[in-house]
């Protein structure tokens, strides 16, 4: 174990922060980034290309009242859950730079493997979503120029996977993104502004829209439960400790600043595109909003290319815990350009992305995978586990009302997780019957 030696930013921080906080062994960068860079990482994630689907995957199943109330409630609950998780980062005098390290500190070594398994599923499913969306954006770009019959979705997903592999090989770790975060912000603004402007134009010129929730009552129950999983998926990364690991000391205070940045300024674009998209097209809103908009060819092409490129950067963020695990396990140190390190990244990261790309092309049902990801891992990691870990770690410092509140969160989100998992698997099974594998949806 080595000691954190980065100096706190102010005199007050020196008094508040203990310089002997231990940092676990890792080959990736720790304590190198400002809170603002961490805030941009979180904002990049929340305004990723997934926002192009929220009008269709959240608002359409829930309607105006359910969608608006659900998003606002999910915002408050997600901020609370992420803040209590951030406050546990230095529990026991150690910086817990991985979610599984924190779970092991609180529950014991058995929790290490269980938490790592849940987190891996979460990140793997999110990356499948990015590959599907990147492929959809590329296909939509070809469709703008009437090449959709030639470039099917599975081919576009394969191209996206190849591009992600090249980026993963050339970008060794999360802190190395730096300039790419600025590029990601610009790319996000391009497709969000284009989608908002074109959707608003269509909405102004369109006849009255249908905002009713369609489907038989039995089907609507499952789609509503699935949409609730999409709600929490929209705000949470499932890898907060890994992002917090990059933040300079005092890590807790700086991460709280980054979270406030994410949940204020960072949410404005997401809310704008979600509500404008649904207002413009109602129940007919596509699961990929740029498929619904009309406008100049070059503008739509630019938005789709931006979405394609941004999905590559975002996938790298969510794949970084897996990359860190592989690099640390096999002792990949030193220059990223060393021949051995380069060969390892090609083999390890390339293999991971080949498997991810194959699964994405095999079952490209985006909304269903968002729901399943929220059900299987976002609910447990962000809400159930975070609240229970806080209960265990701070049990002697919490009032009765605080304990009851955290237990309430644990029980309610456990029930929602089970219900959402069943609903998501059912929707995937139905879509699998409707479409063949490697479908061009």
């Amino acid at each position: 174990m080595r000691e954190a030696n980065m100096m706190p930013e102010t005199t007050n921080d020196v008094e508040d922060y203990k310089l002997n906080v231990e940092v676990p062994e890792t080959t990736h960068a720790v304590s190198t980034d400002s809170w603002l860079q961490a805030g941009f990482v979180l904002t990049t994630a929340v305004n990723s290309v997934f926002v192009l689907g929220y009008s269709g995957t959240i608002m359409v199943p829930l309607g105006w009242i359910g969608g608006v109330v659900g998003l606002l409630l999910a915002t408050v609950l997600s901020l609370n859950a992420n803040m209590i998780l951030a406050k546990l980062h230095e529990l026991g005098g150690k910086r817990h730079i991985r979610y599984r390290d924190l779970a092991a500190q609180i529950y014991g070594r058995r929790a290490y493997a269980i938490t790592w398994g849940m987190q891996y599923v979460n990140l793997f499913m999110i990356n499948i979503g990015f590959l599907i969306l990147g492929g959809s954006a590329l296909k939509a770009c070809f469709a703008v120029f009437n090449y959709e019959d030639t470039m099917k979705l599975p081919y576009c997903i394969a191209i996206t996977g190849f591009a992600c592999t090249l980026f993963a090989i050339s970008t060794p770790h999360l802190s190395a993104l730096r300039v790419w975060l600025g590029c990601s912000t610009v790319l996000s603004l391009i497709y969000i502004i284009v989608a908002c402007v074109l959707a608003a134009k269509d909405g102004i010129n369109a006849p009255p829209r249908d905002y009713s929730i369609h489907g038989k009552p039995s089907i609507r129950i499952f789609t509503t439960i699935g949409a609730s999983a999409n709600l929490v998926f929209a705000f949470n990364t499932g890898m907060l400790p890994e992002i917090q690991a990059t933040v300079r000391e005092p890590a807790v205070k700086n991460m709280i600043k980054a979270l406030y940045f994410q949940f204020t300024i960072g949410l404005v674009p997401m809310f704008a595109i979600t509500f404008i998209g649904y207002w413009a097209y109602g129940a007919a809103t596509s699961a990929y909003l740029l498929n619904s908009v009309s406008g100049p060819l070059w503008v739509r092409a630019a938005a789709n290319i931006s979405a394609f490129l941004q999905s590559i950067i975002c996938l790298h963020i969510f794949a970084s815990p897996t990359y860190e695990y592989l690099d640390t396990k096999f002792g990949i140190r030193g220059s990223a350009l060393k021949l051995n390190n380069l060969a390892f990244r090609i083999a390890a990261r390339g293999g991971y992305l080949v498997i991810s790309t194959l699964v994405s092309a095999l079952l490209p049902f985006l909304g269903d995978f968002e729901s399943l990801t929220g059900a299987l891992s976002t609910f447990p990691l962000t809400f159930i586990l975070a609240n229970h870990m806080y209960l265990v770690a701070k049990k002697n410092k919490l009032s009765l009302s605080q304990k009851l509140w955290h237990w309430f969160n644990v029980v309610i989100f456990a029930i929602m997780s089970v219900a959402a998992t069943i609903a998501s698997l059912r929707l995937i099974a139905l879509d699998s019957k409707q479409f063949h594998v490697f479908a061009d949806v």
Side-chain angles (χ1 to χ4, degrees):
M1 307 287 274
R2 61 186 179 84
E3 293 185 354
N5 54 16
M6 296 293 294
M7 291 298 295
E9 296 175 349
T10 68
T11 303
N12 289 336
D13 290 338
V14 173
E15 295 174 359
D16 295 339
Y17 188 78
K18 296 181 180 180
L19 293 177
N20 63 347
V21 173
E22 294 180 347
V23 180
E25 194 65 36
T26 178
T27 59
H28 284 201
V30 175
S31 302
T32 58
D33 302 338
S34 67
W35 69 264
L36 188 59
Q37 179 165 333
F40 269 102
V41 171
L42 293 166
T43 301
T44 295
V46 82
N47 288 295
S48 70
V49 68
F50 274 108
V51 299
L52 293 169
Y54 293 154
S55 296
T57 60
I58 292 176
M59 297 301 294
V60 170
L62 297 178
W64 274 120
I65 296 176
V68 172
V69 172
L71 280 167
L72 293 177
L73 187 60
T75 301
V76 174
L77 292 174
S78 297
L79 174 58
N80 176 69
N82 279 281
M83 285 182 68
I84 63 175
L85 187 60
K87 291 174 182 177
L88 296 175
H89 187 70
E90 294 170 351
L91 183 68
K94 299 177 183 178
R95 285 196 69 170
H96 302 288
I97 65 172
R98 309 174 187 94
Y99 207 133
R100 56 193 184 274
D101 292 343
L102 178 59
Q105 171 74 21
I106 294 173
Y107 300 119
R109 292 301 301 173
R110 184 175 296 180
Y112 181 96
I114 296 172
T115 306
W116 178 220
M118 284 195 301
Q119 189 182 35
Y120 182 85
V121 169
N122 179 64
L123 300 176
F124 183 72
M125 297 294 286
I126 290 174
N127 288 335
I128 285 176
F130 279 123
L131 288 164
I132 294 172
L133 276 169
S136 297
L138 197 58
K139 182 191 173 186
C141 189
F142 283 114
V144 167
F145 299 103
N146 297 317
Y147 288 106
E148 67 268 31
D149 292 333
T150 303
M151 294 304 296
K152 304 293 185 183
L153 181 59
Y155 304 154
C156 294
I157 290 175
I159 294 171
T160 306
F162 179 71
C164 289
T165 302
L166 293 179
F167 190 79
I169 293 168
S170 61
T171 310
H173 49 74
L174 193 58
S175 290
L177 283 172
R178 296 189 184 280
V179 69
W180 291 109
L181 293 174
C183 294
S184 177
T185 301
V186 173
L187 293 169
S188 298
L189 289 174
I190 291 173
Y191 62 71
I192 288 174
I193 292 173
V194 168
C196 286
V197 171
L198 295 184
K201 178 181 69 68
D202 289 346
I204 292 170
N205 297 325
R209 272 79 69 195
D210 175 17
Y211 295 113
S212 60
I213 302 173
H214 295 178
K216 298 177 181 178
S218 59
I219 299 296
R220 285 171 58 179
I221 291 172
F222 284 103
T223 55
T224 300
I225 294 172
S228 70
N230 291 342
L231 282 171
V232 298
F233 171 82
F235 297 98
N236 299 286
T237 62
M239 51 175 285
L240 190 75
E242 285 80 1
I243 296 173
Q244 192 169 0
T246 68
V247 177
R248 298 179 194 133
E249 295 89 352
V252 173
K253 288 185 177 180
N254 283 335
M255 197 62 196
I256 297 297
K257 292 179 184 178
L259 286 170
Y260 280 135
F261 182 85
Q262 175 198 359
F263 281 91
T264 51
I265 297 172
L267 291 187
V268 173
M270 191 201 82
F271 279 122
I273 193 172
T274 301
F275 295 144
I276 292 173
Y278 184 61
W279 168 79
Y281 307 107
T285 307
S286 169
Y288 179 67
L289 187 58
L290 290 177
N291 284 338
S292 298
V293 302
S294 59
L297 296 182
W298 70 271
V299 175
R300 287 188 287 149
N304 281 300
I305 288 296
S306 298
F308 166 73
L309 294 174
Q310 206 268 354
S311 69
I312 296 171
I313 299 172
C314 261
L315 185 146
H316 189 80
I317 292 175
F318 286 94
S320 61
T322 302
Y323 299 158
E324 188 274 335
Y325 169 76
L326 292 170
D327 291 352
T328 301
K329 182 176 179 62
F330 292 96
I332 304 303
R333 303 176 182 278
S335 172
L337 298 177
K338 284 175 59 177
L339 185 60
N340 288 346
N341 294 349
L342 197 60
F344 179 83
R345 289 203 302 277
I346 292 172
R349 301 184 183 188
Y352 171 79
L353 287 168
V354 164
I355 295 171
S356 301
T357 303
L358 180 62
V359 174
S360 304
L362 191 68
L363 297 170
F365 313 128
L366 177 64
D368 300 347
F369 276 110
E370 283 181 22
S371 301
L372 187 60
T373 303
L376 281 177
S377 48
T378 307
F379 275 131
L381 287 173
T382 304
F383 296 101
I384 301 171
L385 198 56
N387 277 281
H388 193 265
M389 285 195 300
Y390 199 76
L391 271 168
V392 175
K394 306 287 186 179
K395 59 184 177 181
N396 296 325
K397 299 180 181 180
L398 299 177
S399 66
L400 178 61
S401 60
Q402 289 175 316
K403 290 179 181 179
L404 289 174
W405 166 250
H406 289 297
W407 272 117
F408 174 79
N409 278 274
V410 170
V411 173
I412 290 298
F413 284 112
I415 294 171
M416 291 182 68
S417 178
V418 173
T421 299
I422 295 170
S424 302
L425 290 174
R426 184 179 184 276
L427 290 172
I428 289 176
L430 289 175
D431 282 340
S432 297
K433 291 178 181 178
Q434 185 178 354
F435 300 103
H436 57 79
V437 294
F438 297 107
D440 183 33
V441 295

